[in-house]
Amino acid sequence: MITLTDSAIAAIKFALSQTCEPADGLRIKVEAGGCSGFKYHLGLDRESRDGDAVIEAGGVKVYVDSASQPHVSGMTVDFTTGVDSPGFIFENPNARENCACGKSFG
């Protein structure tokens, strides 16, 4: 469903190691909003929920709720430390258009 690059896996592992709250993985959710109609919402979570897809790669887990799954199917998640736009990068084949910020799509 989702492919994580080595950089994304390393970033998730780092985030999990730094959190004060117990967390077992990263949750990716698609919400209405953003410049192009939808936006990605990321957060650490302690466990999967009913209906979640659980993606395991490189020793990390990613949780995707059932409503978000059609929007992210086939997506690749990368992470960059570049000065122009540090953070997660989403290469989403389901996006008809992407905002310049890289965090929302339509």
Side-chain angles (χ1 to χ4, degrees):
M1 169 179 284
I2 293 178
T3 301
L4 303 173
T5 66
D6 290 341
S7 295
I9 291 168
I12 296 167
K13 284 182 177 179
F14 180 76
L16 289 168
S17 73
Q18 299 298 307
T19 186
C20 295
E21 302 282 325
D24 191 37
L26 178 74
R27 179 167 296 282
I28 298 177
K29 186 173 184 175
V30 174
E31 299 176 334
C35 315
S36 300
F38 295 103
K39 63 182 177 180
Y40 301 106
H41 179 78
L42 304 177
L44 299 179
D45 208 337
R46 68 176 55 209
E47 60 190 15
S48 65
R49 300 177 191 155
D50 285 343
D52 279 353
V54 180
I55 297 94
E56 296 188 47
V60 300
K61 294 178 184 176
V62 175
Y63 307 120
V64 182
D65 65 279
S66 60
S68 300
Q69 291 171 22
H71 297 289
V72 300
S73 181
M75 182 171 76
T76 297
V77 180
D78 194 9
F79 187 85
T80 182
T81 56
V83 288
D84 291 343
S85 178
F88 287 99
I89 298 171
F90 306 95
E91 295 175 23
N92 190 340
N94 304 299
R96 293 184 310 276
E97 60 180 305
N98 291 302
C99 180
C101 70
K103 307 300 182 205
S104 67
F105 66 100

